[in-house]
Amino acid sequence: MLPLRDTIPSRKIPIATWLIIIINILVFFHQITLPHDDALYMVYEYSFIPLRFVRGIYNPKSYIPLFTSMFMHGNLLHLISNMWSLWLFGDNVEDNMGAFRFIVFYILTGLIAGFAHFISNPMSNIPTVGASGAIAGVMGAYFLMFPHSRIVTLVPFIPFFIRVPAPIFLFIWFVSQLRSGLMSGVYGKVIGGVAWWAHIFGFLGGVFLYKKFIKKRYGRP
């Protein structure tokens, strides 16, 4: 199923969500316009590599890729799918947090996701990039903040549009990530090149932290 939009309109222009999307797009197009060797260097230098982190864990510079990697993407489809999810869920979460708090929340859940990926596979030397861990945090916040929302979803190949309750849609998504994460543990590798545990703990980070970032005048959503 392909999520198209939710049924809750934004109250304000989602400045922070747009800013994050624009930064991700600019970084991606900078990366693909570099000469081949320079692009490889950029990926190696700014992606998160668990084994490199282990070897330099006492070096403050080793922590920088935890941040920079969440603004990089492996290909255009990776970028589009992540930015679409951010736009779908981020504007409403930002409404209740405000732009600055939303950015802090986004980065914090992204860092939680990065550490979860590190703990799940500390000896991996595969570069990890993508905003999906931070976006999973936004989805975790949305899961509890908007229990009455609906996700307008396209069922491909039919085609058929349905409105799925947002908690059900996100719960199914979370269970699919958990299943893949458990399978990756059984087989001892990252299945499909995806950091499943980053998604899982990014989502859980959003679930457990979102209340601390809601603007007080809105109270409990």
Side-chain angles (χ1 to χ4, degrees), residues 87-106:
W87 170 249
L88 181 63
F89 299 106
D91 59 335
N92 299 121
V93 175
E94 182 183 342
D95 265 343
N96 281 10
M97 291 184 177
F100 178 74
R101 291 187 183 191
F102 178 78
I103 290 173
V104 174
F105 172 82
Y106 179 89

Side-chain angles (χ1 to χ4, degrees), residues 12-131:
K12 297 180 180 179
I13 297 174
I15 297 173
T17 301
W18 271 117
L19 178 62
I20 294 169
I21 290 173
I22 290 170
I23 291 173
N24 276 274
I25 292 173
L26 291 177
V27 169
F28 178 76
F29 279 99
H30 172 67
Q31 180 183 337
I32 65 174
T33 56
L34 288 174
H36 179 70
D37 289 346
D38 291 342
L40 289 178
Y41 175 79
M42 179 179 175
V43 170
Y44 179 79
E45 187 72 10
Y46 296 106
S47 64
F48 180 63
I49 304 174
L51 183 58
R52 180 175 62 185
F53 183 72
V54 170
R55 292 172 175 171
I57 198 165
Y58 296 109
N59 183 351
K61 291 184 178 180
S62 297
Y63 291 81
I64 294 175
L66 279 167
F67 172 77
T68 56
S69 61
M70 69 177 78
F71 294 94
M72 300 174 64
H73 290 83
N75 54 54
L76 185 59
L77 180 61
H78 189 202
L79 174 72
I80 291 173
S81 62
N82 272 350
M83 295 304 100
W84 185 262
S85 296
L86 177 57
W87 170 249
L88 181 63
F89 299 106
D91 59 335
N92 299 121
V93 175
E94 182 183 342
D95 265 343
N96 281 10
M97 291 184 177
F100 178 74
R101 291 187 183 191
F102 178 78
I103 290 173
V104 174
F105 172 82
Y106 179 89
I107 293 174
L108 178 59
T109 54
L111 293 175
I112 291 171
F115 276 111
H117 175 59
F118 162 69
I119 292 170
S120 67
N121 201 1
M123 294 296 107
S124 172
N125 62 355
I126 300 174
T128 305
V129 297

Side-chain angles (χ1 to χ4, degrees), residues 171-182:
F171 179 74
I172 292 172
W173 178 88
F174 178 77
V175 170
S176 71
Q177 306 303 301
L178 183 59
R179 175 180 176 274
S180 296
L182 292 172

Side-chain angles (χ1 to χ4, degrees), residues 122-152:
M123 294 296 107
S124 172
N125 62 355
I126 300 174
T128 305
V129 297
S132 53
I135 295 169
V138 175
M139 294 165 70
Y142 192 103
F143 175 69
L144 293 181
M145 291 172 71
F146 301 99
H148 303 297
S149 177
R150 299 290 186 272
I151 307 298
V152 179

